[in-house]
Amino acid sequence: MSEGTVPAGEKLQKVLARAGQGSRREMERAIEAGRVTVNGQVAKLGERVTDEDRIELDGKRLALQEEERCRVILYNKPVGEICSRHDPEGRPTVYDRLPRLRSGRWISVGRLDFNTSGLLLFTNSGELAHRLMHPSSVIDREYLVRIQGQVDDEMKERLLTGVLLDDGVARFTDIVESGGEGNNRWFYCVVMEGRNREVRRLWESQGVRVSRLKRVRYGNVFIPSQVRVGQWIEMEPSDIDDLCVTAGLPKLGQRPLTQAEKQSLQRQRRKLRKPRAAPRRHPQQGRGGNGKPGGRD
């Protein structure tokens, strides 16, 4: 290939991710593990492919021409579910309640730990998931947290300025008190990254304990009031376009929903409005979109 020539095709991991087989990082690991072949040969990381290539993942051919429209699910995760697809201990996972896809699979946009509840996004687009999670997208995440212990202005200032954790300096970009009394007080706090247990570790670095933690916002997405704990709602195409813009991607301009797809969304929304016996009380949304605030934890 001569200097300045653009190589043909797209990188294999990007094609696999866009086809809904997993995030780009997951597909890179699958290629490195020898699980992907191109035209009968074990693929190499960074290899480029075109529509004419025969691509197989774990022995199953990918029908890349039949790529589904981009879909996004918003799930209100309860405490007591893990974000893995399978758990050796048999605990429930966040994937257990999600609707089935005809092809591809749901990809989680970040994670929440076992004892954290709140907003989780899932999509069948590996490219959208990758961009929503990548630090370069600079997307803020807002949490509602209950703290046991004394919190003063000096502590909040340290948390806003930056605290050295095991994996480097971390900080909140905003902290706002939201009620409580004595040693049990509620705060809204915002982080710009998705580090493992970042919110908990930041507060615990100051000698206080996190007794409740709920994610209430991811970028410009809040938990709708009608989506109770353990329920999900599928986003409309216009909302997905807004999410793409937040992630730094162009609007998809997807085809209009078919009548069957519209009816499916309407049925799902009617289910959300049905009353449940003895509903549990949970803190719901964060502050409105006018406030500067909104990782994985």
PDB file of all heavy atoms in Angstrom, residues 203-236:
ATOM      1  N   TRP A 203     -16.235   9.290  48.966  1.00  0.00           N
ATOM      2  CA  TRP A 203     -16.787   9.620  50.281  1.00  0.00           C
ATOM      3  C   TRP A 203     -16.050   8.879  51.407  1.00  0.00           C
ATOM      4  O   TRP A 203     -15.739   9.467  52.458  1.00  0.00           O
ATOM      5  CB  TRP A 203     -18.280   9.273  50.327  1.00  0.00           C
ATOM      6  CG  TRP A 203     -19.157  10.256  49.613  1.00  0.00           C
ATOM      7  CD1 TRP A 203     -19.793  10.080  48.422  1.00  0.00           C
ATOM      8  CD2 TRP A 203     -19.488  11.589  50.043  1.00  0.00           C
ATOM      9  NE1 TRP A 203     -20.491  11.205  48.090  1.00  0.00           N
ATOM     10  CE2 TRP A 203     -20.328  12.147  49.065  1.00  0.00           C
ATOM     11  CE3 TRP A 203     -19.155  12.354  51.161  1.00  0.00           C
ATOM     12  CZ2 TRP A 203     -20.859  13.436  49.166  1.00  0.00           C
ATOM     13  CZ3 TRP A 203     -19.672  13.647  51.274  1.00  0.00           C
ATOM     14  CH2 TRP A 203     -20.514  14.166  50.275  1.00  0.00           C
ATOM     15  N   GLU A 204     -15.756   7.604  51.176  1.00  0.00           N
ATOM     16  CA  GLU A 204     -15.096   6.821  52.227  1.00  0.00           C
ATOM     17  C   GLU A 204     -13.681   7.301  52.494  1.00  0.00           C
ATOM     18  O   GLU A 204     -13.147   7.096  53.592  1.00  0.00           O
ATOM     19  CB  GLU A 204     -15.108   5.339  51.830  1.00  0.00           C
ATOM     20  CG  GLU A 204     -16.510   4.731  51.896  1.00  0.00           C
ATOM     21  CD  GLU A 204     -16.609   3.368  51.244  1.00  0.00           C
ATOM     22  OE1 GLU A 204     -15.572   2.904  50.680  1.00  0.00           O
ATOM     23  OE2 GLU A 204     -17.697   2.765  51.273  1.00  0.00           O
ATOM     24  N   SER A 205     -13.058   7.972  51.520  1.00  0.00           N
ATOM     25  CA  SER A 205     -11.729   8.541  51.747  1.00  0.00           C
ATOM     26  C   SER A 205     -11.758   9.635  52.818  1.00  0.00           C
ATOM     27  O   SER A 205     -10.710   9.984  53.375  1.00  0.00           O
ATOM     28  CB  SER A 205     -11.162   9.116  50.439  1.00  0.00           C
ATOM     29  OG  SER A 205     -11.819  10.331  50.078  1.00  0.00           O
ATOM     30  N   GLN A 206     -12.955  10.151  53.093  1.00  0.00           N
ATOM     31  CA  GLN A 206     -13.097  11.212  54.090  1.00  0.00           C
ATOM     32  C   GLN A 206     -13.589  10.684  55.445  1.00  0.00           C
ATOM     33  O   GLN A 206     -13.939  11.472  56.332  1.00  0.00           O
ATOM     34  CB  GLN A 206     -14.079  12.271  53.579  1.00  0.00           C
ATOM     35  CG  GLN A 206     -13.684  12.863  52.231  1.00  0.00           C
ATOM     36  CD  GLN A 206     -12.304  13.485  52.273  1.00  0.00           C
ATOM     37  OE1 GLN A 206     -12.047  14.405  53.049  1.00  0.00           O
ATOM     38  NE2 GLN A 206     -11.398  12.982  51.438  1.00  0.00           N
ATOM     39  N   GLY A 207     -13.622   9.366  55.589  1.00  0.00           N
ATOM     40  CA  GLY A 207     -13.975   8.776  56.872  1.00  0.00           C
ATOM     41  C   GLY A 207     -15.461   8.696  57.148  1.00  0.00           C
ATOM     42  O   GLY A 207     -15.866   8.488  58.299  1.00  0.00           O
ATOM     43  N   VAL A 208     -16.311   8.841  56.119  1.00  0.00           N
ATOM     44  CA  VAL A 208     -17.757   8.685  56.297  1.00  0.00           C
ATOM     45  C   VAL A 208     -18.221   7.442  55.547  1.00  0.00           C
ATOM     46  O   VAL A 208     -17.497   6.892  54.717  1.00  0.00           O
ATOM     47  CB  VAL A 208     -18.530   9.929  55.806  1.00  0.00           C
ATOM     48  CG1 VAL A 208     -18.174  11.142  56.656  1.00  0.00           C
ATOM     49  CG2 VAL A 208     -18.243  10.205  54.331  1.00  0.00           C
ATOM     50  N   ARG A 209     -19.449   7.021  55.822  1.00  0.00           N
ATOM     51  CA  ARG A 209     -19.964   5.778  55.240  1.00  0.00           C
ATOM     52  C   ARG A 209     -21.130   6.083  54.301  1.00  0.00           C
ATOM     53  O   ARG A 209     -22.005   6.886  54.617  1.00  0.00           O
ATOM     54  CB  ARG A 209     -20.450   4.836  56.347  1.00  0.00           C
ATOM     55  CG  ARG A 209     -21.058   3.540  55.850  1.00  0.00           C
ATOM     56  CD  ARG A 209     -21.415   2.606  56.999  1.00  0.00           C
ATOM     57  NE  ARG A 209     -22.093   1.409  56.513  1.00  0.00           N
ATOM     58  CZ  ARG A 209     -23.409   1.289  56.416  1.00  0.00           C
ATOM     59  NH1 ARG A 209     -24.186   2.304  56.796  1.00  0.00           N
ATOM     60  NH2 ARG A 209     -23.956   0.182  55.958  1.00  0.00           N
ATOM     61  N   VAL A 210     -21.128   5.417  53.139  1.00  0.00           N
ATOM     62  CA  VAL A 210     -22.243   5.508  52.192  1.00  0.00           C
ATOM     63  C   VAL A 210     -23.240   4.406  52.525  1.00  0.00           C
ATOM     64  O   VAL A 210     -22.925   3.223  52.404  1.00  0.00           O
ATOM     65  CB  VAL A 210     -21.751   5.356  50.744  1.00  0.00           C
ATOM     66  CG1 VAL A 210     -22.938   5.305  49.769  1.00  0.00           C
ATOM     67  CG2 VAL A 210     -20.807   6.492  50.368  1.00  0.00           C
ATOM     68  N   SER A 211     -24.450   4.781  52.948  1.00  0.00           N
ATOM     69  CA  SER A 211     -25.453   3.780  53.308  1.00  0.00           C
ATOM     70  C   SER A 211     -26.484   3.551  52.211  1.00  0.00           C
ATOM     71  O   SER A 211     -27.157   2.525  52.195  1.00  0.00           O
ATOM     72  CB  SER A 211     -26.172   4.177  54.603  1.00  0.00           C
ATOM     73  OG  SER A 211     -26.837   5.419  54.456  1.00  0.00           O
ATOM     74  N   ARG A 212     -26.659   4.509  51.290  1.00  0.00           N
ATOM     75  CA  ARG A 212     -27.532   4.341  50.135  1.00  0.00           C
ATOM     76  C   ARG A 212     -26.915   5.061  48.955  1.00  0.00           C
ATOM     77  O   ARG A 212     -26.354   6.153  49.113  1.00  0.00           O
ATOM     78  CB  ARG A 212     -28.925   4.939  50.401  1.00  0.00           C
ATOM     79  CG  ARG A 212     -29.802   4.195  51.387  1.00  0.00           C
ATOM     80  CD  ARG A 212     -30.596   3.070  50.755  1.00  0.00           C
ATOM     81  NE  ARG A 212     -31.506   3.526  49.719  1.00  0.00           N
ATOM     82  CZ  ARG A 212     -32.728   4.021  49.930  1.00  0.00           C
ATOM     83  NH1 ARG A 212     -33.178   4.193  51.166  1.00  0.00           N
ATOM     84  NH2 ARG A 212     -33.485   4.360  48.908  1.00  0.00           N
ATOM     85  N   LEU A 213     -27.028   4.471  47.775  1.00  0.00           N
ATOM     86  CA  LEU A 213     -26.458   5.111  46.588  1.00  0.00           C
ATOM     87  C   LEU A 213     -27.315   4.767  45.382  1.00  0.00           C
ATOM     88  O   LEU A 213     -27.614   3.601  45.129  1.00  0.00           O
ATOM     89  CB  LEU A 213     -25.022   4.635  46.352  1.00  0.00           C
ATOM     90  CG  LEU A 213     -24.277   5.270  45.160  1.00  0.00           C
ATOM     91  CD1 LEU A 213     -24.176   6.781  45.323  1.00  0.00           C
ATOM     92  CD2 LEU A 213     -22.882   4.668  45.022  1.00  0.00           C
ATOM     93  N   LYS A 214     -27.721   5.805  44.659  1.00  0.00           N
ATOM     94  CA  LYS A 214     -28.581   5.626  43.494  1.00  0.00           C
ATOM     95  C   LYS A 214     -28.145   6.573  42.384  1.00  0.00           C
ATOM     96  O   LYS A 214     -27.978   7.768  42.603  1.00  0.00           O
ATOM     97  CB  LYS A 214     -30.038   5.905  43.852  1.00  0.00           C
ATOM     98  CG  LYS A 214     -30.982   5.774  42.671  1.00  0.00           C
ATOM     99  CD  LYS A 214     -32.423   5.919  43.103  1.00  0.00           C
ATOM    100  CE  LYS A 214     -33.357   5.674  41.923  1.00  0.00           C
ATOM    101  NZ  LYS A 214     -34.768   5.659  42.319  1.00  0.00           N
ATOM    102  N   ARG A 215     -27.944   6.047  41.182  1.00  0.00           N
ATOM    103  CA  ARG A 215     -27.669   6.911  40.035  1.00  0.00           C
ATOM    104  C   ARG A 215     -28.999   7.452  39.514  1.00  0.00           C
ATOM    105  O   ARG A 215     -29.941   6.690  39.272  1.00  0.00           O
ATOM    106  CB  ARG A 215     -26.957   6.148  38.931  1.00  0.00           C
ATOM    107  CG  ARG A 215     -26.581   7.044  37.733  1.00  0.00           C
ATOM    108  CD  ARG A 215     -26.167   6.244  36.533  1.00  0.00           C
ATOM    109  NE  ARG A 215     -24.824   5.709  36.687  1.00  0.00           N
ATOM    110  CZ  ARG A 215     -24.332   4.737  35.902  1.00  0.00           C
ATOM    111  NH1 ARG A 215     -25.080   4.196  34.974  1.00  0.00           N
ATOM    112  NH2 ARG A 215     -23.100   4.309  36.078  1.00  0.00           N
ATOM    113  N   VAL A 216     -29.073   8.774  39.358  1.00  0.00           N
ATOM    114  CA  VAL A 216     -30.319   9.396  38.927  1.00  0.00           C
ATOM    115  C   VAL A 216     -30.215  10.055  37.561  1.00  0.00           C
ATOM    116  O   VAL A 216     -31.236  10.435  36.981  1.00  0.00           O
ATOM    117  CB  VAL A 216     -30.797  10.440  39.965  1.00  0.00           C
ATOM    118  CG1 VAL A 216     -31.160   9.773  41.276  1.00  0.00           C
ATOM    119  CG2 VAL A 216     -29.735  11.518  40.183  1.00  0.00           C
ATOM    120  N   ARG A 217     -29.006  10.207  37.033  1.00  0.00           N
ATOM    121  CA  ARG A 217     -28.853  10.852  35.732  1.00  0.00           C
ATOM    122  C   ARG A 217     -27.599  10.348  35.029  1.00  0.00           C
ATOM    123  O   ARG A 217     -26.576  10.102  35.664  1.00  0.00           O
ATOM    124  CB  ARG A 217     -28.780  12.371  35.902  1.00  0.00           C
ATOM    125  CG  ARG A 217     -28.584  13.129  34.587  1.00  0.00           C
ATOM    126  CD  ARG A 217     -28.883  14.617  34.739  1.00  0.00           C
ATOM    127  NE  ARG A 217     -27.936  15.330  35.559  1.00  0.00           N
ATOM    128  CZ  ARG A 217     -26.819  15.881  35.100  1.00  0.00           C
ATOM    129  NH1 ARG A 217     -26.487  15.768  33.826  1.00  0.00           N
ATOM    130  NH2 ARG A 217     -26.019  16.539  35.909  1.00  0.00           N
ATOM    131  N   TYR A 218     -27.678  10.203  33.706  1.00  0.00           N
ATOM    132  CA  TYR A 218     -26.523   9.893  32.871  1.00  0.00           C
ATOM    133  C   TYR A 218     -26.569  10.878  31.713  1.00  0.00           C
ATOM    134  O   TYR A 218     -27.394  10.752  30.809  1.00  0.00           O
ATOM    135  CB  TYR A 218     -26.586   8.457  32.352  1.00  0.00           C
ATOM    136  CG  TYR A 218     -25.262   7.925  31.834  1.00  0.00           C
ATOM    137  CD1 TYR A 218     -24.509   7.037  32.597  1.00  0.00           C
ATOM    138  CD2 TYR A 218     -24.755   8.318  30.602  1.00  0.00           C
ATOM    139  CE1 TYR A 218     -23.297   6.545  32.136  1.00  0.00           C
ATOM    140  CE2 TYR A 218     -23.545   7.847  30.124  1.00  0.00           C
ATOM    141  CZ  TYR A 218     -22.820   6.957  30.904  1.00  0.00           C
ATOM    142  OH  TYR A 218     -21.613   6.482  30.456  1.00  0.00           O
ATOM    143  N   GLY A 219     -25.697  11.885  31.739  1.00  0.00           N
ATOM    144  CA  GLY A 219     -25.753  12.928  30.724  1.00  0.00           C
ATOM    145  C   GLY A 219     -27.059  13.693  30.829  1.00  0.00           C
ATOM    146  O   GLY A 219     -27.388  14.249  31.872  1.00  0.00           O
ATOM    147  N   ASN A 220     -27.845  13.695  29.752  1.00  0.00           N
ATOM    148  CA  ASN A 220     -29.124  14.397  29.749  1.00  0.00           C
ATOM    149  C   ASN A 220     -30.299  13.454  29.977  1.00  0.00           C
ATOM    150  O   ASN A 220     -31.451  13.817  29.747  1.00  0.00           O
ATOM    151  CB  ASN A 220     -29.310  15.140  28.424  1.00  0.00           C
ATOM    152  CG  ASN A 220     -29.289  14.206  27.218  1.00  0.00           C
ATOM    153  OD1 ASN A 220     -28.885  13.051  27.328  1.00  0.00           O
ATOM    154  ND2 ASN A 220     -29.729  14.698  26.072  1.00  0.00           N
ATOM    155  N   VAL A 221     -30.023  12.219  30.435  1.00  0.00           N
ATOM    156  CA  VAL A 221     -31.069  11.212  30.628  1.00  0.00           C
ATOM    157  C   VAL A 221     -31.353  11.030  32.118  1.00  0.00           C
ATOM    158  O   VAL A 221     -30.448  10.731  32.898  1.00  0.00           O
ATOM    159  CB  VAL A 221     -30.663   9.859  30.010  1.00  0.00           C
ATOM    160  CG1 VAL A 221     -31.762   8.822  30.231  1.00  0.00           C
ATOM    161  CG2 VAL A 221     -30.370  10.018  28.523  1.00  0.00           C
ATOM    162  N   PHE A 222     -32.626  11.226  32.503  1.00  0.00           N
ATOM    163  CA  PHE A 222     -33.087  10.997  33.865  1.00  0.00           C
ATOM    164  C   PHE A 222     -33.978   9.752  33.908  1.00  0.00           C
ATOM    165  O   PHE A 222     -34.464   9.293  32.873  1.00  0.00           O
ATOM    166  CB  PHE A 222     -33.911  12.184  34.375  1.00  0.00           C
ATOM    167  CG  PHE A 222     -33.121  13.427  34.651  1.00  0.00           C
ATOM    168  CD1 PHE A 222     -32.896  14.359  33.645  1.00  0.00           C
ATOM    169  CD2 PHE A 222     -32.612  13.679  35.912  1.00  0.00           C
ATOM    170  CE1 PHE A 222     -32.181  15.521  33.892  1.00  0.00           C
ATOM    171  CE2 PHE A 222     -31.898  14.835  36.172  1.00  0.00           C
ATOM    172  CZ  PHE A 222     -31.679  15.757  35.160  1.00  0.00           C
ATOM    173  N   ILE A 223     -34.220   9.232  35.103  1.00  0.00           N
ATOM    174  CA  ILE A 223     -35.185   8.147  35.265  1.00  0.00           C
ATOM    175  C   ILE A 223     -36.591   8.746  35.209  1.00  0.00           C
ATOM    176  O   ILE A 223     -36.942   9.572  36.049  1.00  0.00           O
ATOM    177  CB  ILE A 223     -35.010   7.424  36.616  1.00  0.00           C
ATOM    178  CG1 ILE A 223     -33.590   6.873  36.758  1.00  0.00           C
ATOM    179  CG2 ILE A 223     -36.030   6.290  36.752  1.00  0.00           C
ATOM    180  CD1 ILE A 223     -33.313   6.272  38.127  1.00  0.00           C
ATOM    181  N   PRO A 224     -37.406   8.365  34.234  1.00  0.00           N
ATOM    182  CA  PRO A 224     -38.777   8.878  34.195  1.00  0.00           C
ATOM    183  C   PRO A 224     -39.544   8.471  35.453  1.00  0.00           C
ATOM    184  O   PRO A 224     -39.331   7.386  36.006  1.00  0.00           O
ATOM    185  CB  PRO A 224     -39.381   8.219  32.945  1.00  0.00           C
ATOM    186  CG  PRO A 224     -38.198   7.823  32.111  1.00  0.00           C
ATOM    187  CD  PRO A 224     -37.115   7.483  33.089  1.00  0.00           C
ATOM    188  N   SER A 225     -40.440   9.334  35.905  1.00  0.00           N
ATOM    189  CA  SER A 225     -41.154   9.086  37.157  1.00  0.00           C
ATOM    190  C   SER A 225     -42.002   7.825  37.108  1.00  0.00           C
ATOM    191  O   SER A 225     -42.242   7.187  38.135  1.00  0.00           O
ATOM    192  CB  SER A 225     -42.034  10.290  37.507  1.00  0.00           C
ATOM    193  OG  SER A 225     -42.967  10.537  36.457  1.00  0.00           O
ATOM    194  N   GLN A 226     -42.457   7.420  35.905  1.00  0.00           N
ATOM    195  CA  GLN A 226     -43.321   6.237  35.812  1.00  0.00           C
ATOM    196  C   GLN A 226     -42.540   4.932  35.787  1.00  0.00           C
ATOM    197  O   GLN A 226     -43.129   3.859  35.858  1.00  0.00           O
ATOM    198  CB  GLN A 226     -44.221   6.327  34.572  1.00  0.00           C
ATOM    199  CG  GLN A 226     -43.511   6.099  33.232  1.00  0.00           C
ATOM    200  CD  GLN A 226     -42.987   7.383  32.616  1.00  0.00           C
ATOM    201  OE1 GLN A 226     -42.674   8.324  33.348  1.00  0.00           O
ATOM    202  NE2 GLN A 226     -42.904   7.438  31.298  1.00  0.00           N
ATOM    203  N   VAL A 227     -41.213   5.008  35.692  1.00  0.00           N
ATOM    204  CA  VAL A 227     -40.395   3.779  35.641  1.00  0.00           C
ATOM    205  C   VAL A 227     -39.939   3.451  37.056  1.00  0.00           C
ATOM    206  O   VAL A 227     -39.002   4.028  37.579  1.00  0.00           O
ATOM    207  CB  VAL A 227     -39.184   3.954  34.699  1.00  0.00           C
ATOM    208  CG1 VAL A 227     -38.369   2.664  34.640  1.00  0.00           C
ATOM    209  CG2 VAL A 227     -39.646   4.349  33.301  1.00  0.00           C
ATOM    210  N   ARG A 228     -40.652   2.507  37.663  1.00  0.00           N
ATOM    211  CA  ARG A 228     -40.332   2.150  39.040  1.00  0.00           C
ATOM    212  C   ARG A 228     -39.125   1.211  39.096  1.00  0.00           C
ATOM    213  O   ARG A 228     -38.664   0.711  38.065  1.00  0.00           O
ATOM    214  CB  ARG A 228     -41.558   1.508  39.705  1.00  0.00           C
ATOM    215  CG  ARG A 228     -42.747   2.463  39.834  1.00  0.00           C
ATOM    216  CD  ARG A 228     -43.878   1.805  40.599  1.00  0.00           C
ATOM    217  NE  ARG A 228     -44.503   0.745  39.835  1.00  0.00           N
ATOM    218  CZ  ARG A 228     -45.569   0.902  39.063  1.00  0.00           C
ATOM    219  NH1 ARG A 228     -46.116   2.098  38.926  1.00  0.00           N
ATOM    220  NH2 ARG A 228     -46.085  -0.133  38.416  1.00  0.00           N
ATOM    221  N   VAL A 229     -38.659   0.978  40.308  1.00  0.00           N
ATOM    222  CA  VAL A 229     -37.503   0.096  40.508  1.00  0.00           C
ATOM    223  C   VAL A 229     -37.795  -1.282  39.918  1.00  0.00           C
ATOM    224  O   VAL A 229     -38.860  -1.861  40.152  1.00  0.00           O
ATOM    225  CB  VAL A 229     -37.170  -0.019  42.000  1.00  0.00           C
ATOM    226  CG1 VAL A 229     -36.067  -1.048  42.227  1.00  0.00           C
ATOM    227  CG2 VAL A 229     -36.752   1.329  42.555  1.00  0.00           C
ATOM    228  N   GLY A 230     -36.869  -1.788  39.102  1.00  0.00           N
ATOM    229  CA  GLY A 230     -37.035  -3.089  38.472  1.00  0.00           C
ATOM    230  C   GLY A 230     -37.751  -3.033  37.136  1.00  0.00           C
ATOM    231  O   GLY A 230     -37.952  -4.072  36.508  1.00  0.00           O
ATOM    232  N   GLN A 231     -38.102  -1.839  36.671  1.00  0.00           N
ATOM    233  CA  GLN A 231     -38.772  -1.696  35.382  1.00  0.00           C
ATOM    234  C   GLN A 231     -37.849  -1.042  34.363  1.00  0.00           C
ATOM    235  O   GLN A 231     -36.879  -0.395  34.726  1.00  0.00           O
ATOM    236  CB  GLN A 231     -40.049  -0.855  35.531  1.00  0.00           C
ATOM    237  CG  GLN A 231     -41.143  -1.513  36.349  1.00  0.00           C
ATOM    238  CD  GLN A 231     -42.415  -0.674  36.364  1.00  0.00           C
ATOM    239  OE1 GLN A 231     -42.380   0.548  36.340  1.00  0.00           O
ATOM    240  NE2 GLN A 231     -43.555  -1.342  36.395  1.00  0.00           N
ATOM    241  N   TRP A 232     -38.200  -1.183  33.070  1.00  0.00           N
ATOM    242  CA  TRP A 232     -37.438  -0.570  31.991  1.00  0.00           C
ATOM    243  C   TRP A 232     -38.391   0.109  31.027  1.00  0.00           C
ATOM    244  O   TRP A 232     -39.598  -0.179  30.999  1.00  0.00           O
ATOM    245  CB  TRP A 232     -36.591  -1.607  31.253  1.00  0.00           C
ATOM    246  CG  TRP A 232     -37.376  -2.752  30.661  1.00  0.00           C
ATOM    247  CD1 TRP A 232     -37.635  -3.964  31.246  1.00  0.00           C
ATOM    248  CD2 TRP A 232     -38.021  -2.791  29.374  1.00  0.00           C
ATOM    249  NE1 TRP A 232     -38.391  -4.746  30.421  1.00  0.00           N
ATOM    250  CE2 TRP A 232     -38.657  -4.060  29.260  1.00  0.00           C
ATOM    251  CE3 TRP A 232     -38.140  -1.901  28.322  1.00  0.00           C
ATOM    252  CZ2 TRP A 232     -39.381  -4.448  28.142  1.00  0.00           C
ATOM    253  CZ3 TRP A 232     -38.867  -2.266  27.193  1.00  0.00           C
ATOM    254  CH2 TRP A 232     -39.471  -3.530  27.111  1.00  0.00           C
ATOM    255  N   ILE A 233     -37.837   1.020  30.229  1.00  0.00           N
ATOM    256  CA  ILE A 233     -38.593   1.686  29.183  1.00  0.00           C
ATOM    257  C   ILE A 233     -37.685   1.848  27.971  1.00  0.00           C
ATOM    258  O   ILE A 233     -36.485   2.100  28.121  1.00  0.00           O
ATOM    259  CB  ILE A 233     -39.137   3.053  29.669  1.00  0.00           C
ATOM    260  CG1 ILE A 233     -40.116   3.654  28.641  1.00  0.00           C
ATOM    261  CG2 ILE A 233     -37.996   4.035  29.938  1.00  0.00           C
ATOM    262  CD1 ILE A 233     -40.861   4.871  29.169  1.00  0.00           C
ATOM    263  N   GLU A 234     -38.253   1.649  26.778  1.00  0.00           N
ATOM    264  CA  GLU A 234     -37.469   1.812  25.559  1.00  0.00           C
ATOM    265  C   GLU A 234     -37.549   3.255  25.086  1.00  0.00           C
ATOM    266  O   GLU A 234     -38.619   3.867  25.075  1.00  0.00           O
ATOM    267  CB  GLU A 234     -37.955   0.869  24.460  1.00  0.00           C
ATOM    268  CG  GLU A 234     -37.109   0.942  23.207  1.00  0.00           C
ATOM    269  CD  GLU A 234     -37.268  -0.256  22.286  1.00  0.00           C
ATOM    270  OE1 GLU A 234     -37.958  -1.218  22.669  1.00  0.00           O
ATOM    271  OE2 GLU A 234     -36.682  -0.230  21.181  1.00  0.00           O
ATOM    272  N   MET A 235     -36.415   3.809  24.689  1.00  0.00           N
ATOM    273  CA  MET A 235     -36.359   5.198  24.262  1.00  0.00           C
ATOM    274  C   MET A 235     -36.883   5.359  22.843  1.00  0.00           C
ATOM    275  O   MET A 235     -36.700   4.489  21.988  1.00  0.00           O
ATOM    276  CB  MET A 235     -34.926   5.728  24.360  1.00  0.00           C
ATOM    277  CG  MET A 235     -34.406   5.786  25.793  1.00  0.00           C
ATOM    278  SD  MET A 235     -32.681   6.345  25.934  1.00  0.00           S
ATOM    279  CE  MET A 235     -32.841   8.052  25.419  1.00  0.00           C
ATOM    280  N   GLU A 236     -37.540   6.508  22.588  1.00  0.00           N
ATOM    281  CA  GLU A 236     -38.042   6.844  21.261  1.00  0.00           C
ATOM    282  C   GLU A 236     -36.865   7.184  20.338  1.00  0.00           C
ATOM    283  O   GLU A 236     -35.802   7.606  20.800  1.00  0.00           O
ATOM    284  CB  GLU A 236     -38.974   8.047  21.357  1.00  0.00           C
ATOM    285  CG  GLU A 236     -40.206   7.823  22.227  1.00  0.00           C
ATOM    286  CD  GLU A 236     -41.335   7.140  21.464  1.00  0.00           C
ATOM    287  OE1 GLU A 236     -41.129   6.825  20.272  1.00  0.00           O
ATOM    288  OE2 GLU A 236     -42.395   6.927  22.071  1.00  0.00           O
TER     289      GLU A 236
END
